[in-house]
Amino acid sequence: MLVVKEKRGTMKEFGLYINGKWTPSTSKKTFPTINPAKKNQVLAQCAAGTREDVEKAVYAAEKALPAWKKMPAPRRGEVLLEVASLLKKRKQKLGELVTTEMGKVLKEGLGDVQEAIDIFEYMAGEGRRLFGHTTPSELKNKFCCTIRQPIGVVGLITPWNFPFAIPAWKLAPALICGNTIVFKPSSDTPLCAIELIKILEEAGIPPGVVNMVTGSGEDVGTSIITHKRIQGLSFTGSRETGEFIARQSGLKKVGLELGGKNAIIIMDDADLDLALEGVLWGAFGTTGQRCTACSRVIIHKNVQKEFEEKLLARVKKLKLGSGLDPKTDVGPLIAHRAILKTHMYTEIGKKEGAKLLCGGYSVKSSGFFYAPTIFTNVKPHMRIAREEIFGPTLSILKANDLKEAIQICNSIEYGLSSSMYTQNINNAFRAIERIEAGITYVNASTIGAEVHLPFGGVKATGNGTREAGWTGIEEFSEEKTIYIDYSGKLQKAQIDIEE
Ligand code: NAP
């Protein structure tokens, strides 16, 4: 039974998924999930999990671990491939759900699901790789190699801005490596997580291998990060929560993917029309609510005026509305708190002396809409140039040359994505070398990650973990070192060295 309860024909109530069963929370409490484009539309009620529920989920995951770990990885891969196939079949409906629950425009909602399909397909193939290393021994008649083993029970905690892709980026590698899972999705997008879990169940993931506990970060999240029998954690979310997790999680293997304040550098030899498309997409796609969103443009003084005119003309034409309307360019923010935060930064920007070119206000309507906002004459020390806003706000900063542009780009605490528009190959390579970020694009926006390449950042963007690609396997496995001595005698490394 997927739905725990259906109230008055329309209001659905969903439970937790523990040991292969949908069950109410021990608190008996629920919380609503809503449509951010129509804030009065409650989509469903979801179970508010508790510490006790997390305990049950960990127990189920522990019980399921030996059999899942023992299953040959290519067989686990077959289950992942089935997940991908079911996601493909339901892509349209799931994309619509992403748009309805999270707000991004439908094209992006479908892209979110596609990213989940891609990672499940990629990680299914990893079932036939999971490479270790072999290397020569320093001694005769001795063989050395490494093999990959699961971490054990892992906790996954995810945000709302990619409600299919980010859970999938964690679930797929964790599963192929043979771990069992306690998963807590964002309280803003539990329905997307529930649909993903239904698909995992249908694809044949055995009971207890994946357990999902919905509920607050304070109750469910904290119970997961401090749980003594959870050996690994993978978290994507804000810097504040990430730092809290780093302090609370003890000696677990922890992956933290946190915020960004990503810049596009535009040099005076750039194709300005191409750069314009990149900035529009980077700054206002997903209403600026991507960790890789472009929130700073660092522009060469010679082309600043021309670029600002072009940008303003295009931004004024952007249409706000429900992401399900094909004419909409920019959807709502996730919640009222995001309107308040975005507007707080508008006020800060004005006080700091930056010049507001457009936007700067919330739009009175049925949803959480905020007008695309651009500040110019922004200086690197200003808060709007340094802090993550996570809304449709762009700061434009002037640079006299490449050296200064890179200096400004690096003058922040974050280091996730970056981009540079130039026709000069030497400058492009200089930027690649000197920009402090986990990702650098040349002649493309700050967004556009592909699932077979490492994803993550430096500095305050995390703790060095890279997700996806082969690095996703590193995040969710332990590498065990094997020495096999077939000399038939005691050989001592570093001591029995033949002169
Ligand atoms: P958030 O507030 O940190 O929440 C993320 C998740 O952590 C949610 O599931 C949340 O639960 C949970 N949580 C909250 N407090 C917790 C606690 N004390 N212990 C354990 N878990 C806790 O972040 P968000 O607003 O959802 O996401 C936006 C942030 O994510 C931005 O900063 C963005 O840059 C970042 N992000 C980073 C990446 C990346 O790969 N680097 C990708 C996407 C997003 P509740 O929902 O119940 O509060």
Side-chain angles (χ1 to χ4, degrees):
M1 185 65 178
L2 301 176
V3 177
V4 171
K5 217 160 55 181
E6 219 167 296
K7 277 185 185 168
R8 285 185 219 102
T10 52
M11 181 58 66
K12 290 182 174 173
E13 202 171 300
F14 289 93
L16 312 171
Y17 185 70
I18 298 176
N19 203 22
K21 290 198 179 71
W22 293 89
T23 137
S25 154
T26 48
S27 72
K28 308 279 182 236
K29 290 187 185 142
T30 61
F31 63 95
T33 176
I34 64 162
N35 176 351
K38 284 188 199 165
K39 53 194 177 200
N40 293 331
Q41 185 188 1
V42 176
L43 302 171
Q45 292 286 338
C46 299
T50 63
R51 181 169 288 274
E52 217 181 317
D53 295 316
V54 170
E55 190 56 47
K56 286 181 186 169
V58 172
Y59 183 74
E62 279 179 321
K63 288 271 168 228
L65 183 63
W68 183 246
K69 188 171 154 178
K70 193 115 181 90
M71 183 187 281
R75 298 284 86 75
R76 294 198 294 263
E78 286 167 14
V79 185
L80 266 58
L81 212 50
E82 182 57 19
V83 174
S85 151
L86 291 169
L87 284 166
K88 266 187 207 167
K89 280 187 198 140
R90 292 175 204 165
K91 182 174 165 184
Q92 183 66 28
K93 275 219 146 341
L94 297 175
E96 286 166 13
L97 175 64
V98 171
T99 297
T100 309
E101 194 181 32
M102 183 271 158
K104 61 176 77 171
V105 296
L106 182 57
K107 256 191 301 194
E108 293 183 35
L110 292 168
D112 200 317
V113 180
Q114 185 59 47
E115 216 169 317
I117 295 168
D118 293 346
I119 194 81
F120 271 101
E121 279 183 349
Y122 176 89
M123 288 298 168
E126 271 300 321
R128 289 193 181 269
R129 284 185 292 270
L130 289 182
F131 292 140
H133 291 85
T134 58
T135 181
S137 167
E138 64 184 50
L139 295 166
K140 285 180 186 165
N141 300 321
K142 194 174 169 193
F143 175 83
C144 312
C145 70
T146 66
I147 57 167
R148 294 211 168 266
Q149 295 196 313
I151 300 168
V153 177
V154 296
L156 313 181
I157 301 180
T158 56
W160 46 266
N161 65 334
F162 278 84
F164 269 88
I166 293 179
W169 274 38
K170 297 184 190 301
L171 286 161
L175 286 168
I176 201 65
C177 290
N179 302 285
T180 55
I181 292 160
V182 179
F183 165 43
K184 187 207 113 48
S186 164
S187 299
D188 291 307
T189 50
L191 273 190
C192 289
I194 287 164
E195 288 306 314
L196 183 55
I197 293 295
K198 286 185 196 171
I199 284 175
L200 293 177
E201 186 183 33
E202 201 176 325
I205 296 282
V209 170
V210 176
N211 305 277
M212 182 189 63
V213 185
T214 48
S216 74
E218 209 179 1
D219 295 331
V220 178
T222 311
S223 307
I224 291 174
I225 64 171
T226 54
H227 201 290
K228 291 271 182 289
R229 300 195 318 279
I230 290 182
Q231 287 91 24
L233 282 178
S234 180
F235 169 79
T236 298
S238 64
R239 177 177 171 182
E240 295 69 31
T241 312
E243 284 175 343
F244 176 76
I245 292 175
R247 289 194 299 273
Q248 299 293 318
S249 56
L251 296 176
K252 295 176 174 54
K253 184 172 181 182
V254 181
L256 300 173
E257 301 287 346
L258 313 177
K261 188 72 188 174
N262 315 292
I264 292 182
I265 296 176
I266 303 175
M267 294 305 292
D268 54 353
D269 58 11
D271 175 339
L272 280 196
D273 291 322
L274 185 66
L276 176 64
E277 296 305 325
V279 170
L280 283 167
W281 174 225
F284 305 115
T286 327
T287 324
Q289 301 172 109
R290 285 188 185 226
C291 52
T292 51
C294 163
S295 53
R296 297 181 294 157
V297 162
I298 303 167
I299 189 151
H300 194 284
K301 60 177 181 191
N302 294 348
V303 288
Q304 181 176 8
K305 192 163 176 291
E306 183 186 350
F307 183 78
E308 282 181 3
E309 281 166 9
K310 281 175 186 269
L311 180 63
L312 211 55
R314 285 289 295 278
V315 171
K316 284 187 173 157
K317 287 192 192 137
L318 291 177
K319 191 175 174 303
L320 265 70
S322 157
L324 291 175
D325 179 346
K327 290 196 218 87
T328 296
D329 299 301
V330 181
L333 286 168
I334 187 69
H336 186 58
R337 65 174 191 277
I339 295 266
L340 293 178
K341 184 175 177 196
T342 306
H343 196 64
M344 178 186 89
Y345 277 102
T346 297
E347 293 302 324
I348 289 172
K350 286 198 244 171
K351 271 201 203 107
E352 285 178 319
K355 182 176 167 199
L356 184 64
L357 279 185
C358 66
Y361 55 91
S362 63
V363 179
K364 281 207 167 55
S365 77
S366 58
F368 304 119
F369 293 99
Y370 200 87
T373 299
I374 304 177
F375 278 103
T376 189
N377 295 349
V378 178
K379 302 285 176 277
H381 68 270
M382 294 180 178
R383 286 181 66 191
I384 55 168
R386 313 177 69 81
E387 296 174 16
E388 188 184 48
I389 301 172
F390 224 56
T393 305
L394 179 68
S395 293
I396 301 179
L397 299 98
K398 183 182 76 178
N400 290 307
D401 53 26
L402 178 68
K403 192 172 167 218
E404 192 187 10
I406 294 175
Q407 229 167 36
I408 296 172
C409 182
N410 290 343
S411 67
I412 50 156
E413 292 183 7
Y414 293 106
L416 182 50
S417 188
S418 57
S419 146
M420 162 152 193
Y421 281 85
T422 181
Q423 304 286 347
N424 180 325
I425 187 79
N426 295 346
N427 282 345
F429 272 95
R430 279 183 197 114
I432 291 169
E433 195 183 297
R434 295 178 198 165
I435 288 177
E436 295 165 359
I439 305 165
T440 297
Y441 292 89
V442 176
N443 293 328
S445 192
T446 48
I447 57 191
E450 299 179 32
V451 304
H452 54 297
L453 284 116
F455 181 90
V458 301
K459 296 160 66 177
T461 290
N463 60 350
T465 312
R466 292 289 179 274
E467 295 205 301
W470 60 94
T471 47
I473 296 299
E474 285 161 12
E475 181 180 6
F476 287 102
S477 60
E478 298 283 8
E479 208 163 0
K480 177 182 251 191
T481 306
I482 317 288
Y483 297 104
I484 301 167
D485 192 318
Y486 53 98
S487 68
K489 59 181 184 193
L490 175 65
Q491 298 200 88
K492 301 184 201 107
Q494 295 89 41
I495 294 167
D496 294 342
I497 303 165
E498 281 179 26
E499 296 300 332

